[in-house]
Amino acid sequence: MTLVVAKVTPHQIVMLADTRIQSPRQKRALPDVRSGSLKITFVASNVAIAFTGDPDIASAAIEDIRGGCTSFQSVISVLKNSSRGSGNEYLVGFAGPKRLFHVRGGEAKERRVAFIGDSVGFERFQSGPRAAPQDDSWHATMIGPDVQDQTLVHDQLARLQSVLEDRSILSVGDFFTVALSDGGTFRFPSVATMFFDAESRLLAPDGSALLTSTDERRHRFTTWYPRQRGLASSAFVFPDAQRAFVFYQGTPFNFANQCEMFDGLVGDQLADEIERRIGIRFEVFEIRHV
C-alpha cells in the first residue's frame, strides 16, 4: 500500500506521497528504506503521475506512455487500461490548464481533491498533526524556492509527516515526496526540517528509529532536487548523521525506484560524489541550528 494525496489550488496542483513499498505478501520484518520508490514521476514537463499498487504494472504503464504520446487523451487511456482489473490506482495531474484525475478500475474521474492508497493512512492525514507531548519538542520546516500557496503546502506536508510518524500505520512510511505545478510545469521543491529536542522522525515499520538524533537531541533533515528540471529524483539528506539516500530513475521518465546510500559527506562534497556515482547534480539546500 501507500498514500498519495493531491489537491488543485487556485495557483497550482500539489501532490504528496510516501516512499514505502510493501507487498501484502511481505512478512512484517523491517524492510530497508532503500527498497522503496518515489511514487510520483513526470512523463512530460506538464504531466505528473502517481501510483498505488503493483510497481511493475505502474512502470509498464509509464513505458506505454513514453512509447506513445503524452497528450491528455493518450495518458488517460493508458492509465485506464492499466487500472482495469489490476488493482492499481493512479492520480494524474496536468499542469496547464490545471486538471487532476483519479484513475481506477478502468475509469477516470476529474477531482479537485483526491487520494489513493491506504484508507487508514488517509484518515490519519485528515485528522492532522496531533499535539506534541509535553517535552518541549518542536520542529521547523522550510520549503523552496518560490513555492506558491506556502501555508497550504506546509499544512499538507505536516499532515503527511504525521502519518509517516504514526507507528500504527505500517503500510505508509519512510520518506516523502512533494510535487508542485509551477508555471505550467511540475517540479520537486527542496524541503528542510530542523528538529529540536526530539527523536528521529525516520522510523522503521515497528516504530524504532532508523536514525537517531545528535547528543544535543536535535537534528536536520533536507530533501534536495535535481538541477535538471523535470527529473523526478530526490536526495534525502541527514547532515548531522552525514548520511544521504538518493532515489533515481533506472529508466528515464519512469518511477525513481533505484536508491544509493552515501555516508560521511555533506554539502558540496556530497553533491559532487552523487554526481560522480549516478550522474545527477542536485542543488545543495542546507539550514543550520544556531
Side-chain angles (χ1 to χ4, degrees):
M1 275 311 251
T2 187
L3 180 62
V4 185
V5 294
K7 176 176 287 192
V8 181
T9 79
H11 304 104
Q12 60 191 157
I13 297 175
V14 180
M15 303 177 75
L16 303 96
D18 74 326
T19 64
R20 180 169 294 171
I21 297 291
Q22 186 179 44
S23 167
R25 299 181 297 275
Q26 186 178 41
K27 294 182 180 179
R28 292 165 67 97
L30 298 185
D32 191 322
V33 294
R34 290 172 292 183
S35 65
S37 173
L38 303 191
K39 298 166 187 172
I40 303 172
T41 194
F42 311 136
V43 295
S45 62
N46 64 330
V47 184
I49 296 174
F51 82 96
T52 183
D54 189 314
D56 293 334
I57 293 175
S59 293
I62 298 301
E63 292 289 343
D64 287 345
I65 292 171
R66 290 178 57 237
C69 178
T70 56
S71 68
F72 169 81
Q73 292 294 345
S74 295
V75 170
I76 292 295
S77 177
V78 169
L79 296 181
K80 286 167 64 174
N81 288 335
S82 178
S83 70
R84 187 177 290 114
S86 70
N88 273 32
E89 296 187 36
Y90 301 94
L91 294 181
V92 52
F94 297 90
K98 300 185 300 294
R99 301 185 73 180
L100 173 68
F101 289 84
H102 179 192
V103 183
R104 67 175 177 180
E107 300 292 334
K109 295 184 179 180
E110 188 163 7
R111 304 292 191 193
R112 301 294 293 181
V113 179
F115 89 95
I116 53 177
D118 188 276
S119 59
V120 175
F122 183 67
E123 290 174 3
R124 179 69 185 84
F125 177 90
Q126 289 288 78
S127 68
R130 293 170 180 162
Q134 299 301 311
D135 59 1
D136 295 325
S137 64
W138 62 284
H139 66 266
T141 298
M142 298 175 60
I143 305 175
D146 303 324
V147 173
Q148 301 183 75
D149 301 308
Q150 280 271 352
T151 300
L152 181 144
V153 175
H154 275 280
D155 172 74
Q156 297 290 285
L157 180 54
R159 290 172 180 272
L160 179 61
Q161 287 177 315
S162 71
V163 183
L164 302 182
E165 296 166 15
D166 193 320
R167 301 183 183 187
S168 67
I169 303 173
L170 301 184
S171 62
V172 182
D174 301 336
F175 302 111
F176 59 80
T177 307
V178 182
L180 307 171
S181 65
D182 182 10
T185 64
F186 277 98
R187 66 183 176 96
F188 290 156
S190 288
V191 181
T193 301
M194 295 186 296
F195 295 94
F196 296 85
D197 299 321
E199 295 299 331
S200 172
R201 291 316 202 254
L202 178 58
L203 303 176
D206 68 347
S208 62
L210 294 175
L211 289 173
T212 58
S213 59
T214 66
D215 291 338
E216 296 177 316
R217 291 179 58 78
R218 60 185 187 177
H219 67 277
R220 294 166 293 161
F221 168 62
T222 62
T223 64
W224 295 356
Y225 66 92
R227 284 184 178 175
Q228 180 181 339
R229 286 183 68 92
L231 189 61
S233 298
S234 289
F236 301 100
V237 181
F238 296 82
D240 301 300
Q242 295 190 359
R243 174 166 290 181
F245 300 86
V246 181
F247 285 80
Y248 62 98
Q249 298 158 312
T251 303
F253 304 108
N254 214 309
F255 296 100
N257 58 6
Q258 306 295 309
C259 181
E260 292 271 353
M261 187 172 72
F262 296 77
D263 277 319
L265 297 170
V266 295
D268 289 332
Q269 289 183 324
L270 172 60
D272 290 344
E273 181 62 13
I274 293 172
E275 185 175 23
R276 186 189 71 81
R277 280 171 54 178
I278 64 176
I280 300 175
R281 186 69 189 187
F282 283 89
E283 292 287 356
V284 177
F285 186 51
E286 291 189 330
I287 55 175
R288 298 183 183 278
H289 292 100
V290 294

